[in-house]
Amino acid sequence: QVQLVESGGGLVQPGGSLRLSCAASGFTFSDFFMYWVRQPPGKGLEWVAAINRAGDYPYYTNAVKGRFTISRDNAKNTVDLQMDNLKSGDTAVYFCAKGSPDGDSWNTDPGAQGTQVTVSS
C-alpha cells in the first residue's frame, strides 16, 4: 500500500531554513504528481507546493512563493521541500501527499505522522 514517510522538521528561528524529505513506496512514484501540504495549529490541511511527474514544473501557494522550493528524485522515490526565510506563519505539521496523475487532487497517507516545523525566536 501507499506509504509516505516525512523527515527533516525541527525548531528554527525566523529567517532560518529547513529541508524536508519524503520517502515514498507502494506505488509507481514517477506516474504521479507529488505535493507537500501542512496543518497549522488548530487548522485544516492546506497545500503548500506541488511538482509534476517529471519534476520540471513546480507549483506553490502564494504564501510560500520565492521562499520554498520543491524537488523530486524519481530514481530514489523521494520528494523534498527546501524552506528558506521561514516565518512564524509557516509553523505547522508538514506532510507529503500523493497526487493524481494529472495533479488535480492529492491524498495523504492516513498512517503518516508528518514532520513538525516550528518557527520561533
Side-chain angles (χ1 to χ4, degrees):
Q1 72 271 17
V2 172
Q3 187 172 21
L4 302 168
V5 180
E6 304 90 353
S7 62
L11 172 63
V12 63
Q13 293 185 344
S17 298
L18 283 173
R19 187 175 184 88
L20 307 183
S21 187
C22 171
S25 61
F27 63 102
T28 305
F29 184 75
S30 58
D31 284 352
F32 297 89
F33 274 65
M34 291 299 294
Y35 284 73
W36 279 98
V37 302
R38 67 186 180 188
Q39 186 167 24
K43 298 184 179 180
L45 286 170
E46 60 185 33
W47 84 275
V48 173
I51 192 163
N52 69 332
R53 290 173 288 177
D56 53 1
Y57 279 98
Y59 305 84
Y60 303 98
T61 192
N62 285 340
V64 308
K65 277 181 182 176
R67 301 188 297 119
F68 289 13
T69 303
I70 188 171
S71 60
R72 67 188 294 165
D73 186 331
N74 286 344
K76 297 181 179 179
N77 288 3
T78 59
V79 56
D80 290 353
L81 186 69
Q82 176 67 39
M83 305 186 296
D84 298 316
N85 191 21
L86 282 159
K87 304 177 179 181
S88 58
D90 297 317
T91 294
V93 180
Y94 285 70
F95 300 86
C96 65
K98 174 178 171 283
S100 60
D102 58 3
D104 64 353
S105 64
W106 51 267
N107 286 288
T108 57
D109 172 359
Q113 299 293 316
T115 187
Q116 175 71 49
V117 172
T118 303
V119 184
S120 176
S121 54

